[in-house]
Each structure stands twice: as structure tokens, then as C-alpha cells.
Amino acid sequence: MLGSLLTALTAAAEPSRSAGRTTSERIRRFETEQLTLHVLAATIVFLIILPVLIAALVSTKRAGIVTSIGDLAPGGHALSNYRRALIGLEFWRFMLNSFLMSVAVVVGKLVVSLLAALVIVYYRFPYKNAVFLFILFTLLLPVPVRFVPLYRLTTELGMSNTFFAITVPYLASATTVFILRQHFLSIPASLVETAKVDGVGPLRFLWSVLVPMSRAVLVGVSVIMFVYTWNQYLWPLVIINAESLQVAQVGLSLLRGQASTGEVAWSMVMTGSMLTLLPPLALLVLFRRQLLETFTIQQK
């Protein structure tokens, strides 16, 4: 009798133990998967930033020649290299030109794109959708296709080797028009009707309603455009002949040519590269929230 009772109790306890083991196995499996994902993400991040780390280390050396892993140890010439690049080789002038070019392009592109998106969203005119599709169609044209006609046009207008040559061609952006159009479409139509009833004009509606409601998107788009313009290399290299008007990306090649012994001054090149990273990096850090909001709006 007692043996039968113990057998029955053991059989009843078996399912709960099995369920407990199953739960603990699931928890261990979940923790293992999370650990694997974290290790994989950390490895990918490390591989992405590895070139930047190597550039930062080389910028602290005298010669900058790396032939083994031991040469990647930090050097003691960081301050002298950065001082020589900025002041001695006047790299600050190239960075100032890049900054002025980027700011001018961002402001001009925002104005053009805001007006274009305002017209596309809130105005009725024939073939409006076709016009918008044509704007998007320009995204399919690669830069080399537009390069020669743009160079000829700029030269014939007498704008080559000027500040306008490196700013005016960038003022139109289909991507920015598309982003602003999508954001304007998300604004309630009741606001538009209220503005019409109150007699608010288009430009005042743009400045007083749309711009304040689009502040985060405008900041995010401005950061993207600033980084894109800051990294321009080929067009300024072709259209600008005067060294005093060149931008930072082209100035890096001029730093490379400062080697007096015929060898490439990699430490100066890496120092200039690290300097060119600073403005875009600062903007990405300062306005990361607006950037995330911009991409979130596009996902909606």
C-alpha cells in the first residue's frame, strides 16, 4: 500500500520537474542567443571602427609607416602633428572652405526643397504626380552621367574656380524633396483648412506652421546633407584650380605631397583625415535624436 502511494506521488511530481527543466533550458537558450548576438554586434562594430582607430594611432607617429602590429603602438607626436597640419600646412583653410561650402549648400538646399515640397503637397496643378516622379527619376542618374554636362555648363557660365561652382550644383536634391513631402503629408489637413480660413498665405503658412512642425526633420536632413557635402571630393578637384579655394578632402592629397624625401607622409595624411572626421562626427553626436526621428518618420 505504502509502495503504491510513493509510486503515485513520484509519477505526479515528474511533469512539474520536466516543466521546470524546460523553462530553465529556454532561459539558458535565450541567454546564449543574446550573448551570441552581443558578441557578433561588438565584432562588427570593432571591424567598422578599426580603420579609424589605425588612422588615429598613425596620426600620433613621426613617420606613420606601419609594417607590423607592433608599429600600431601610440606615438608621442600627436600634438606636433596636429599643430603642423592645421597651422604649418594651413589645413585649417581647407576645412574652412569645406565648412562654408557645406553650410551654403545646406541652407540653399533646404530653401529649394521646402518650396518644392510645399508646391507638390499643397498646390493643385496639371501633371503634379508626373512632376514628382520626374524629380524622383533624377535619383537614377549617376554622378558620372551628369559630370561632363555640368562641367561644360559651369565653365560656359564663367563659374569655374569660384565658390559658386562648388555650391550651386548641389542646391537641388530629390532625396530632400521626397523626405519633406512625406513629412508634409503626415500633417493633418485640418491645419491647412484652418490656415486658409484665416487668410494665411503660402509662404507664411510655410514659415509659421510647416517649419516649426518640421524642426526635427529639418535638422536631421540638414545633418545628412552637411555630411554628404563635406565629403565631396571629385567635383571640387575638377572645377577648382586655386589651392586657396580647395576643400578639405582635396587638401588631404596636398598633405600627402608634403613629404620632402619622396616618401608619403602618412602621419600627416592620417592627421588630416582625423581632422576631417571631427565636424561630421560632432554633428552626428549632437543631433542623433533628430536623425532617428527623421528615419522613424520615413518608416511610418
Side-chain angles (χ1 to χ4, degrees):
M1 183 88 177
L2 182 59
S4 302
L5 181 60
L6 289 176
T7 304
L9 290 174
T10 304
E14 226 17 81
S16 61
R17 291 176 184 173
S18 177
R21 285 198 300 271
T22 303
T23 303
S24 61
E25 288 175 358
R26 287 177 179 175
I27 292 174
R28 283 198 298 272
R29 191 182 305 118
F30 177 76
E31 291 176 348
T32 304
E33 290 176 353
Q34 291 296 312
L35 180 62
T36 304
L37 288 176
H38 280 83
V39 171
L40 182 61
T43 304
I44 293 174
V45 171
F46 176 74
L47 292 176
I48 291 175
I49 67 173
L50 182 60
V52 180
L53 292 177
I54 294 176
L57 291 173
V58 172
S59 68
T60 63
K61 294 178 173 297
R62 177 184 293 277
I65 303 297
V66 177
T67 57
S68 64
I69 297 180
D71 293 334
L72 292 178
H77 300 82
L79 291 178
S80 61
N81 285 346
Y82 283 91
R83 188 184 301 113
R84 181 166 178 253
L86 278 174
I87 301 174
L89 301 178
E90 296 186 344
F91 193 70
W92 65 269
R93 190 186 303 278
F94 303 126
M95 295 190 68
L96 178 62
N97 291 336
S98 286
F99 181 78
L100 294 177
M101 178 185 74
S102 302
V103 171
V105 169
V106 167
V107 174
K109 192 175 289 188
L110 277 183
V111 173
V112 173
S113 300
L114 277 171
L115 294 176
L118 175 72
V119 172
I120 290 173
V121 174
Y122 296 107
Y123 279 78
R124 296 178 181 176
F125 56 91
Y127 307 109
K128 184 171 74 171
N129 292 331
V131 171
F132 178 62
L133 289 176
F134 178 77
I135 294 175
L136 293 182
F137 176 75
T138 59
L139 291 173
L140 303 178
L141 295 176
V143 174
V145 174
R146 296 175 290 170
F147 201 82
V148 175
L150 184 60
Y151 177 79
R152 292 185 61 180
L153 178 63
T154 307
T155 305
E156 291 174 359
L157 291 176
M159 294 171 55
S160 61
N161 205 30
T162 63
F163 183 72
F164 294 102
I166 54 176
T167 54
V168 174
Y170 294 110
L171 296 185
S173 170
T175 305
T176 309
V177 173
F178 174 75
I179 293 174
L180 293 179
R181 173 188 176 273
Q182 296 303 107
H183 176 65
F184 288 171
L185 289 175
S186 67
I187 294 177
S190 58
L191 284 177
V192 183
E193 298 301 327
T194 303
K196 288 181 179 178
V197 171
D198 293 341
V200 177
L203 293 180
R204 186 182 170 191
F205 177 71
L206 174 66
W207 181 253
S208 302
V209 179
L210 293 181
V211 170
M213 294 185 69
S214 311
R215 192 168 299 163
V217 178
L218 293 177
V219 173
V221 169
S222 299
V223 173
I224 296 172
M225 290 188 297
F226 184 92
V227 175
Y228 171 78
T229 310
W230 179 272
N231 291 326
Q232 290 302 312
Y233 170 77
L234 186 58
W235 179 248
L237 176 65
V238 172
I239 204 65
I240 298 296
N241 297 323
E243 185 176 318
S244 59
L245 293 176
Q246 274 299 354
V247 297
Q249 305 300 333
V250 182
L252 288 176
S253 62
L254 300 178
L255 290 180
R256 181 176 180 270
Q258 296 296 326
S260 58
T261 59
E263 297 179 353
V264 177
W266 289 114
S267 60
M268 284 294 100
V269 174
M270 293 300 115
T271 302
S273 300
M274 295 306 300
L275 289 172
T276 57
L277 284 178
L278 294 180
L281 182 63
L283 287 179
L284 292 175
V285 173
L286 288 175
F287 300 108
R288 62 185 182 281
R289 185 174 59 83
Q290 288 81 357
L291 271 174
L292 293 176
E293 289 182 8
T294 302
F295 288 115
T296 303
I297 289 173
Q298 296 310 308
Q299 290 176 0
K300 290 178 180 177

Short mmCIF file of all heavy atoms in Angstrom, two decimals, residues 26 61 85 99 116 148 181 196 203 227 241 252 254:
data_model
loop_
_atom_site.label_atom_id
_atom_site.label_comp_id
_atom_site.label_asym_id
_atom_site.label_seq_id
_atom_site.Cartn_x
_atom_site.Cartn_y
_atom_site.Cartn_z
N ARG A 26 14.96 26.92 -21.73
CA ARG A 26 14.60 28.04 -22.60
C ARG A 26 15.33 29.32 -22.17
O ARG A 26 15.79 30.10 -23.00
CB ARG A 26 13.09 28.26 -22.55
CG ARG A 26 12.29 27.19 -23.31
CD ARG A 26 10.82 27.44 -23.16
NE ARG A 26 10.04 26.45 -23.89
CZ ARG A 26 8.72 26.38 -23.86
NH1 ARG A 26 8.04 27.25 -23.11
NH2 ARG A 26 8.09 25.45 -24.55
N LYS A 61 52.28 59.37 -34.77
CA LYS A 61 53.68 58.96 -35.02
C LYS A 61 54.40 60.00 -35.86
O LYS A 61 53.80 60.88 -36.45
CB LYS A 61 53.68 57.59 -35.72
CG LYS A 61 53.14 56.47 -34.85
CD LYS A 61 53.12 55.17 -35.61
CE LYS A 61 52.75 54.02 -34.67
NZ LYS A 61 53.74 53.84 -33.60
N ALA A 85 49.84 70.17 -39.12
CA ALA A 85 48.83 70.06 -40.19
C ALA A 85 47.92 71.28 -40.23
O ALA A 85 47.64 71.82 -41.30
CB ALA A 85 48.01 68.78 -39.99
N PHE A 99 33.66 73.87 -44.69
CA PHE A 99 32.57 74.27 -43.79
C PHE A 99 31.65 75.30 -44.46
O PHE A 99 30.42 75.18 -44.41
CB PHE A 99 33.17 74.85 -42.51
CG PHE A 99 32.14 75.29 -41.51
CD1 PHE A 99 31.48 74.35 -40.72
CD2 PHE A 99 31.81 76.62 -41.36
CE1 PHE A 99 30.51 74.75 -39.81
CE2 PHE A 99 30.85 77.03 -40.45
CZ PHE A 99 30.21 76.09 -39.67
N ALA A 116 9.73 73.34 -53.00
CA ALA A 116 9.29 72.28 -53.91
C ALA A 116 8.29 71.35 -53.23
O ALA A 116 7.26 71.00 -53.83
CB ALA A 116 10.50 71.49 -54.41
N VAL A 148 30.06 65.52 -67.04
CA VAL A 148 30.56 66.28 -68.20
C VAL A 148 29.63 67.43 -68.57
O VAL A 148 30.09 68.57 -68.75
CB VAL A 148 30.80 65.33 -69.39
CG1 VAL A 148 31.19 66.12 -70.63
CG2 VAL A 148 31.88 64.31 -69.05
N ARG A 181 8.32 65.96 -48.49
CA ARG A 181 6.96 65.67 -48.99
C ARG A 181 6.27 64.63 -48.11
O ARG A 181 5.10 64.80 -47.73
CB ARG A 181 7.03 65.15 -50.42
CG ARG A 181 5.70 64.69 -50.97
CD ARG A 181 5.86 64.02 -52.31
NE ARG A 181 4.61 63.48 -52.82
CZ ARG A 181 4.14 62.27 -52.56
NH1 ARG A 181 4.84 61.46 -51.76
NH2 ARG A 181 2.99 61.85 -53.06
N LYS A 196 -6.26 78.40 -44.36
CA LYS A 196 -6.95 79.02 -45.49
C LYS A 196 -8.08 79.92 -45.01
O LYS A 196 -8.29 81.02 -45.54
CB LYS A 196 -7.49 77.93 -46.41
CG LYS A 196 -6.41 77.21 -47.21
CD LYS A 196 -7.04 76.17 -48.12
CE LYS A 196 -5.97 75.45 -48.93
NZ LYS A 196 -6.54 74.39 -49.80
N LEU A 203 3.53 81.33 -48.11
CA LEU A 203 4.86 81.50 -47.51
C LEU A 203 4.76 81.65 -45.99
O LEU A 203 5.59 81.12 -45.25
CB LEU A 203 5.56 82.70 -48.11
CG LEU A 203 5.95 82.56 -49.59
CD1 LEU A 203 6.64 83.83 -50.10
CD2 LEU A 203 6.86 81.35 -49.80
N VAL A 227 26.94 66.24 -44.05
CA VAL A 227 27.95 65.17 -44.16
C VAL A 227 28.20 64.83 -45.63
O VAL A 227 29.35 64.63 -46.04
CB VAL A 227 27.49 63.93 -43.37
CG1 VAL A 227 28.46 62.77 -43.58
CG2 VAL A 227 27.36 64.26 -41.89
N ASN A 241 40.68 75.31 -59.38
CA ASN A 241 42.12 75.27 -59.66
C ASN A 241 42.95 75.94 -58.58
O ASN A 241 44.08 75.54 -58.34
CB ASN A 241 42.40 75.95 -61.00
CG ASN A 241 41.74 75.23 -62.16
OD1 ASN A 241 41.68 73.99 -62.17
ND2 ASN A 241 41.22 75.97 -63.13
N LEU A 252 43.65 66.83 -48.39
CA LEU A 252 44.35 65.63 -47.90
C LEU A 252 45.41 65.17 -48.88
O LEU A 252 46.51 64.77 -48.49
CB LEU A 252 43.35 64.50 -47.65
CG LEU A 252 42.41 64.66 -46.46
CD1 LEU A 252 41.43 63.51 -46.41
CD2 LEU A 252 43.23 64.70 -45.18
N LEU A 254 47.00 67.09 -50.87
CA LEU A 254 48.09 68.06 -50.80
C LEU A 254 48.97 67.78 -49.59
O LEU A 254 50.18 68.00 -49.64
CB LEU A 254 47.51 69.48 -50.74
CG LEU A 254 46.65 69.88 -51.94
CD1 LEU A 254 46.10 71.28 -51.76
CD2 LEU A 254 47.47 69.80 -53.23
#
